[in-house]
Amino acid sequence: EPDVTIVSGLKDMVVFEGDDVTFRCQVSHENARDVEWKLQDVALQNNEMNEISVEKGKIHTLTLRKVTEQDIGTIAFRVGPHMSTA
């Protein structure tokens, strides 16, 4: 199985309370497994507040809905041993 690396990392974002924000990270291979999103070292799940998806097989996206002050912090995307933060 090829080693999946991060081709294009996360970008820092500034948003207003109540807005949605989307983070994108592009990886080198489709169908990457062992992928994880975190906010402040807490693993995120796909639910009504966090939308986690994959576009075109390689672009992993995380949308935080209606952000609050509690959402301030570091977002991390990890695939295998590789990590990107914003």
Side-chain angles (χ1 to χ4, degrees):
E1 196 167 303
D3 185 30
V4 178
T5 60
I6 295 173
V7 175
S8 176
L10 299 176
K11 308 269 188 289
D12 289 342
M13 306 289 273
V14 175
V15 294
F16 293 100
E17 196 165 18
D19 286 352
D20 294 351
V21 61
T22 300
F23 294 91
R24 288 182 175 79
C25 202
Q26 183 176 348
V27 298
S28 58
H29 295 78
E30 291 186 13
N31 304 319
R33 283 179 286 194
D34 194 20
V35 170
E36 183 177 49
W37 286 97
K38 286 185 174 182
L39 171 60
Q40 302 283 51
D41 285 332
V42 176
L44 298 176
Q45 304 299 319
N46 199 22
N47 57 37
E48 66 278 352
M49 296 307 292
N50 312 315
E51 183 184 328
I52 297 171
S53 62
V54 180
E55 299 171 3
K56 300 177 185 166
K58 295 181 183 178
I59 301 170
H60 292 256
T61 65
L62 165 67
T63 300
L64 301 179
R65 305 221 176 275
K66 296 183 177 74
V67 295
T68 67
E69 204 172 294
Q70 285 74 39
D71 295 318
I72 292 172
T74 301
I75 292 284
F77 172 82
R78 182 187 60 76
V79 58
H82 307 286
M83 184 174 288
S84 179
T85 58

